Amino acid sequence: MSHTSPPARAGRPPRPERRALPWGWALVRGDSMRPGLRPGDRLLVSYRRAVRPGRVVVARLADGTLAVKRATERRRTASGAAGWWLLSDDPEVGVDSRHRGPVPEDDVRGVVVARVWPRPRCGRM
């Protein structure tokens, strides 16, 4: 049995694959991103923004856990695929790339745009 993709609609090119929604929410759990982010902080996440060094991101770690971490630099994974080196803001707490290695680029799900609850504080995001 062969698998074929559905036919394109007449007169229209096929749509590129994309996430259903451009925005989402994340909830901070744990202390690894202190002092900037605390447990219970709610974050607005963009699924379409480009990851840049220094930005806070939501990523799926190798064990399947979704985590809020800071992208520090591009690196290659063990398989040679493009990836990101992700770190906790508090190096004494949490699991990050120092423990698991670079995270594949496809597993970096979104870029944190703002803290929405509790009321945003001034400072680096």
Side-chain angles (χ1 to χ4, degrees), residues 8-87:
R9 289 180 262 157
R12 292 187 187 173
R15 282 191 249 176
E17 188 176 322
R18 61 181 180 165
R19 294 186 190 272
L21 298 173
W23 302 97
W25 303 101
L27 177 65
V28 176
R29 296 178 189 254
D31 293 316
S32 70
M33 295 303 289
R34 281 186 182 266
L37 297 173
R38 299 178 187 144
D41 284 355
R42 285 159 180 79
L43 310 173
L44 177 63
V45 179
S46 170
Y47 297 124
R48 296 189 181 158
R49 289 204 182 183
V51 179
R52 294 193 176 112
R55 296 301 305 260
V56 175
V57 299
V58 175
R60 184 168 306 280
L61 301 180
D63 65 0
T65 304
L66 280 175
V68 175
K69 300 293 175 191
R70 189 168 304 278
T72 60
E73 65 183 4
R74 288 184 173 276
R75 292 219 186 155
R76 293 279 173 192
T77 64
S79 68
W84 281 93
W85 193 257
L86 305 180
L87 296 176

